[in-house]
Amino acid sequence: EIPLEEVARGAAIDPQLLSALLDGRGAIDADLDLRLGRYFGMSEGFFLRLQNSFDLEEVRRASGDELDRIIPR
């Protein structure tokens, strides 16, 4: 486990922003993706893709019945 402060310092991210992200009160944007990707040695877009997948799943859960009623053309 890596301390939040160490990641924040290493990736040049405000610790409060990182804390909010980890608590589910924030979302990954392009800036955070690049910083975290560089820090952890991941590809550009990795964290954005995770965020996008999470967002899609949340909408599926919230709107599943409504989405099921949409008939493809």
Side-chain angles (χ1 to χ4, degrees):
E1 195 168 301
I2 305 171
L4 181 140
E5 295 79 17
E6 183 180 326
V7 175
R9 188 174 42 257
I13 298 171
D14 182 316
Q16 290 179 326
L17 177 63
L18 187 56
S19 178
L21 177 68
L22 295 173
D23 290 342
R25 296 179 286 119
I28 293 286
D29 61 14
D31 182 64
L32 285 172
D33 172 80
L34 291 173
R35 292 173 184 279
L36 291 171
R38 175 84 42 105
Y39 181 76
F40 287 111
M42 307 300 286
S43 64
E44 291 182 1
F46 176 82
F47 292 98
L48 278 173
R49 287 189 294 277
L50 287 177
Q51 181 69 57
N52 192 39
S53 294
F54 175 81
D55 293 344
L56 288 168
E57 188 58 35
E58 289 294 299
V59 172
R60 280 188 205 100
R61 285 186 187 138
S63 305
D65 293 338
E66 184 180 343
L67 292 172
D68 288 342
R69 290 190 296 272
I70 297 173
I71 299 169
R73 292 188 58 140

